[in-house]
Coordinates of all heavy atoms in Angstrom, one line a residue:
V43 N 11.2 9.1 -17.6 CA 11.0 9.1 -16.1 C 12.4 9.3 -15.4 O 12.7 10.1 -14.6 CB 10.3 8.1 -15.6 CG1 10.3 7.9 -14.1 CG2 8.8 8.2 -16.0
S44 N 13.3 8.4 -15.9 CA 14.7 8.3 -15.3 C 15.5 9.6 -15.4 O 16.2 10.0 -14.6 CB 15.4 7.2 -15.8 OG 14.8 6.0 -15.6
N45 N 15.2 10.3 -16.6 CA 16.0 11.5 -17.0 C 15.4 12.7 -16.6 O 15.8 13.8 -16.7 CB 16.3 11.5 -18.5 CG 17.2 10.3 -18.9 OD1 18.1 9.9 -18.1 ND2 16.9 9.9 -20.0
G46 N 14.1 12.6 -16.0 CA 13.4 13.8 -15.7 C 13.0 14.7 -16.8 O 12.8 15.8 -16.9
D47 N 12.7 13.9 -18.0 CA 12.4 14.7 -19.3 C 11.0 15.0 -19.3 O 10.1 14.2 -19.7 CB 12.8 13.7 -20.4 CG 12.6 14.3 -21.8 OD1 12.1 15.4 -21.9 OD2 12.7 13.6 -22.8
V48 N 10.5 16.2 -18.8 CA 9.2 16.5 -18.8 C 8.6 16.6 -20.2 O 7.4 16.1 -20.4 CB 8.9 17.9 -18.1 CG1 7.5 18.3 -18.0 CG2 9.5 17.7 -16.7
A49 N 9.3 17.1 -21.1 CA 8.8 17.2 -22.6 C 8.5 15.8 -23.1 O 7.5 15.5 -23.8 CB 9.7 17.9 -23.4
G50 N 9.4 14.9 -22.8 CA 9.2 13.4 -23.3 C 8.0 12.8 -22.7 O 7.2 12.2 -23.3
L51 N 7.8 13.1 -21.3 CA 6.7 12.5 -20.6 C 5.4 13.1 -21.3 O 4.4 12.3 -21.4 CB 6.8 12.9 -19.1 CG 7.8 12.1 -18.3 CD1 7.9 12.8 -16.9 CD2 7.5 10.6 -18.3
S52 N 5.4 14.3 -21.6 CA 4.2 14.9 -22.2 C 4.0 14.4 -23.6 O 2.7 14.3 -23.9 CB 4.5 16.5 -22.3 OG 4.6 17.1 -21.0
R53 N 4.9 14.1 -24.3 CA 4.7 13.5 -25.7 C 4.2 12.1 -25.6 O 3.3 11.7 -26.3 CB 6.0 13.6 -26.5 CG 6.3 14.9 -27.1 CD 7.4 14.7 -28.1 NE 8.6 14.0 -27.6 CZ 9.6 14.4 -27.0 NH1 9.6 15.8 -26.7 NH2 10.6 13.7 -26.6
L54 N 4.7 11.3 -24.6 CA 4.4 9.9 -24.5 C 3.1 9.6 -23.8 O 2.5 8.5 -24.0 CB 5.6 9.2 -24.0 CG 6.8 9.2 -24.8 CD1 8.0 8.7 -24.0 CD2 6.7 8.3 -26.0
T55 N 2.8 10.4 -22.8 CA 1.6 10.1 -21.9 C 0.3 9.8 -22.7 O -0.3 8.8 -22.3 CB 1.4 11.1 -20.9 OG1 2.6 11.2 -20.1 CG2 0.2 10.9 -20.0
P56 N -0.1 10.6 -23.7 CA -1.3 10.3 -24.5 C -1.3 8.9 -25.1 O -2.3 8.3 -25.3 CB -1.3 11.4 -25.5 CG -0.5 12.5 -24.9 CD 0.5 11.9 -24.2
L57 N -0.1 8.4 -25.5 CA 0.0 7.1 -26.1 C -0.4 5.9 -25.2 O -0.8 4.8 -25.5 CB 1.3 6.8 -26.7 CG 1.8 7.8 -27.8 CD1 3.2 7.5 -28.2 CD2 0.9 7.7 -29.0
L58 N -0.1 6.1 -23.8 CA -0.3 5.1 -22.9 C -1.7 4.6 -22.8 O -2.0 3.3 -22.8 CB 0.2 5.6 -21.5 CG 1.6 5.9 -21.4 CD1 2.0 6.5 -19.9 CD2 2.6 4.8 -21.7
G59 N -2.6 5.4 -22.8 CA -4.1 5.0 -22.8 C -4.4 4.2 -24.0 O -5.2 3.3 -24.0
M60 N -4.0 4.7 -25.2 CA -4.2 4.1 -26.5 C -3.7 2.6 -26.5 O -4.2 1.8 -27.2 CB -3.7 4.9 -27.6 CG -4.4 6.2 -27.8 SD -3.7 7.0 -29.3 CE -3.0 8.5 -28.5
L61 N -2.6 2.4 -25.8 CA -1.9 1.1 -25.9 C -2.2 0.2 -24.6 O -1.6 -0.7 -24.4 CB -0.4 1.3 -26.0 CG 0.1 2.0 -27.2 CD1 1.5 2.3 -27.1 CD2 -0.2 1.0 -28.5
D62 N -3.3 0.6 -23.9 CA -3.7 -0.1 -22.7 C -2.5 -0.2 -21.6 O -2.3 -1.2 -21.0 CB -4.2 -1.4 -22.9 CG -5.5 -1.4 -23.7 OD1 -6.3 -0.5 -23.4 OD2 -5.8 -2.2 -24.6
M63 N -1.7 0.9 -21.5 CA -0.5 0.9 -20.7 C -0.7 2.0 -19.5 O 0.2 2.4 -19.0 CB 0.7 1.3 -21.5 CG 1.1 0.2 -22.5 SD 2.4 0.8 -23.5 CE 3.8 0.8 -22.4
A64 N -2.0 2.4 -19.3 CA -2.2 3.5 -18.4 C -1.7 3.2 -17.0 O -1.1 4.0 -16.3 CB -3.6 3.9 -18.4
D65 N -2.0 2.0 -16.5 CA -1.6 1.6 -15.2 C 0.0 1.7 -15.0 O 0.5 2.2 -14.0 CB -2.1 0.2 -14.8 CG -3.6 0.2 -14.6 OD1 -4.2 1.2 -14.4 OD2 -4.2 -0.9 -14.7
A66 N 0.6 1.1 -16.0 CA 2.1 1.2 -16.0 C 2.6 2.6 -16.0 O 3.6 3.0 -15.3 CB 2.7 0.3 -17.1
G67 N 2.0 3.4 -16.8 CA 2.3 4.9 -16.9 C 2.1 5.6 -15.6 O 2.9 6.3 -15.3
V68 N 1.0 5.3 -14.9 CA 0.8 5.9 -13.7 C 1.9 5.6 -12.6 O 2.4 6.5 -12.0 CB -0.6 5.5 -13.1 CG1 -0.8 5.9 -11.7 CG2 -1.7 6.1 -13.9

Side-chain angles (χ1 to χ4, degrees):
V43 166
S44 296
N45 297 326
D47 178 6
V48 177
L51 291 171
S52 296
R53 280 192 313 273
L54 294 167
T55 297
L57 298 175
L58 299 177
M60 290 184 243
L61 295 170
D62 295 323
M63 297 174 66
D65 290 341
V68 168

